[in-house]
Amino acid sequence: QLEKQSKNNLVLLIKFRSFKMKKQLLIAAVAATMGTAAFADVSIGGNAKFEYFNEETNNLTTNKTNTEVNMNIRGKSGDTAVVLDLEFDESATDGMDIENMYITTKVGDVTLKLGNYSTATTGILGEIDAGQRANNKITASTTMGGVKLYAGNSGSAGAGATEINPHMFAGASMDISGATVHFKHVNNNVDAFAVSGDIAGFGVRLEQKSDTAANGDVVFGNITKSYNGVDFGYAWIDADKADKVTEGDSSIFAVEMSTVDTGAAASGRDDATGNQQITVKTSVAGNAITLKSGSVEHGINATTDLDYTQIALVRSLAAGSTLAVTYTDKDASTTTDTQTFEADISVKF
């Protein structure tokens, strides 16, 4: 009888443990399913950097630091995607800025981009006009017969603005013999034309902005060539009139014709009519070294150019971060220079 009771207890214990294990497996499976549904189409990435600046002008020295964190959030459901780019910056007035916030989706063969976004410096007129971030911006694009067609509105500036700017833009681009030809009607007064690609072994990017209201054109060009592990480049901007270049955050020029997005006059360079720069880039012992030397025509005043030289070194560190060191020497006036030393540690995640 005692032996029989022990066997019954053992059977009950095994059944209980089996039931408990099945329950745990069921809970884990439900949790995994919920986690997959909640996070499968959402991703978070970004980058961060700590910057140090030392600037000297006319024997007066200033030192400052800054921390910046950028977060890139992406969501996706079928052919619809959501983009949210946030910038946290100690030097910013509010400490945080919404860089981009938009939705992309498809209606038949037409792709729609809706929201708050800007034009990159790599886009047409990107090195001439400021990024033009705006609210309620709409771009519709499609491809027909190898030609990309797009049209939209420029939105409206300001955090609270909701009106739609009546100045519509439209454009078309296509590849011809390895080069991309691009035309854009920017607004009622401005048209743009661009050619870019590999032409006869040279990297070529040429753009022209025609402004009928201002009765003046602006031309931007960048020619690049690699030879024996060294990259060479020559870039220029030529404007018929001063104060027609508003891009203040160039990805090519070490010193811009405009240092702020609100116009060259705010930077004291309201007489500037051109910029020319030579670039040499190579790699030495794991260090990417870039030398830039150029001149802003009438960058100091109507009769004096602003000359500048910059050398930069970038190296990947063992801890997964990147070190960048930059030294820039530029004219500050007709008699003084400004030397700026910048060092930053950055990481991508």
Side-chain angles (χ1 to χ4, degrees):
Q1 183 68 26
L2 186 61
E3 181 180 355
K4 184 177 180 181
Q5 184 65 35
S6 298
K7 288 182 179 179
N8 290 337
N9 291 340
L10 180 60
V11 170
L12 289 173
L13 179 61
I14 292 173
K15 288 183 177 180
F16 175 76
R17 288 183 174 177
S18 176
F19 171 76
K20 187 176 181 181
M21 182 175 292
K22 289 179 180 178
K23 185 177 180 181
Q24 289 173 335
L25 290 172
L26 179 61
I27 293 173
V30 171
T33 303
M34 292 176 63
T36 301
F39 298 108
D41 293 329
V42 176
S43 64
I44 299 177
N47 60 79
K49 64 179 177 179
F50 178 83
E51 304 168 295
Y52 166 76
F53 300 90
N54 174 278
E55 185 173 286
E56 181 179 338
T57 303
N58 201 21
N59 296 322
L60 296 176
T61 302
T62 59
N63 295 279
K64 63 180 181 179
T65 59
N66 183 57
T67 304
E68 179 182 319
V69 176
N70 296 285
M71 294 192 66
N72 312 121
I73 303 172
R74 303 290 185 266
K76 188 168 175 44
S77 176
D79 288 332
T80 301
V82 178
V83 172
L84 178 60
D85 295 328
L86 304 174
E87 178 187 71
F88 301 86
D89 192 332
E90 286 183 340
S91 64
T93 303
D94 298 325
M96 188 191 81
D97 182 29
I98 298 177
E99 293 287 306
N100 296 294
M101 182 172 61
Y102 62 88
I103 296 171
T104 61
T105 190
K106 297 197 72 172
V107 178
D109 293 330
V110 178
T111 298
L112 297 177
K113 187 175 182 179
L114 316 165
N116 172 14
Y117 51 94
S118 64
T119 304
T121 56
T122 54
I124 189 169
L125 301 187
E127 290 288 340
I128 298 174
D129 293 337
Q132 302 174 342
R133 179 173 287 107
N135 298 324
N136 308 314
K137 201 170 181 179
I138 301 172
T139 302
S141 61
T142 189
T143 300
M144 298 178 60
V147 180
K148 180 180 178 181
L149 305 171
Y150 63 91
N153 76 298
S154 57
S156 55
T162 56
E163 72 276 8
I164 294 179
N165 191 315
H167 299 295
M168 306 295 288
F169 62 82
S173 65
M174 65 181 300
D175 291 337
I176 300 177
S177 301
T180 299
V181 178
H182 191 168
F183 171 79
K184 181 178 182 180
H185 176 71
V186 181
N187 56 45
N188 293 339
N189 300 314
V190 178
D191 291 317
F193 179 78
V195 177
S196 62
D198 192 318
I199 300 176
F202 289 84
V204 176
R205 180 181 169 189
L206 299 173
E207 299 173 5
Q208 177 171 313
K209 175 184 177 181
S210 177
D211 191 336
T212 56
N215 193 26
D217 295 348
V218 181
V219 175
F220 160 74
N222 188 33
I223 309 295
T224 59
K225 177 70 173 178
S226 297
Y227 181 75
N228 285 344
V230 181
D231 298 329
F232 299 92
Y234 173 66
W236 73 94
I237 294 179
D238 182 29
D240 289 343
K241 292 185 176 182
D243 200 18
K244 294 303 174 186
V245 176
T246 58
E247 177 54 51
D249 190 18
S250 172
S251 60
I252 295 175
F253 294 98
V255 175
E256 298 89 352
M257 292 171 63
S258 171
T259 58
V260 291
D261 288 345
T262 53
S267 71
R269 298 179 192 159
D270 48 322
D271 293 316
T273 55
N275 198 354
Q276 299 182 66
Q277 175 184 279
I278 295 174
T279 302
V280 179
K281 183 178 180 180
T282 189
S283 181
V284 178
N287 303 299
I289 301 174
T290 303
L291 174 66
K292 297 180 178 181
S293 181
S295 180
V296 178
E297 184 179 16
H298 302 160
I300 300 297
N301 54 46
T303 59
T304 307
D305 298 342
L306 186 158
D307 298 330
Y308 59 87
T309 301
Q310 182 184 87
I311 184 168
L313 180 149
V314 179
R315 182 178 181 85
S316 298
L317 303 179
S321 59
T322 300
L323 171 67
V325 178
T326 305
Y327 174 79
T328 306
D329 187 344
K330 64 182 181 181
D331 293 339
S333 69
T334 56
T335 58
T336 60
D337 291 355
T338 295
Q339 295 88 35
T340 304
F341 173 80
E342 177 185 353
D344 66 63
I345 297 287
S346 61
V347 62
K348 293 182 179 180
F349 56 87

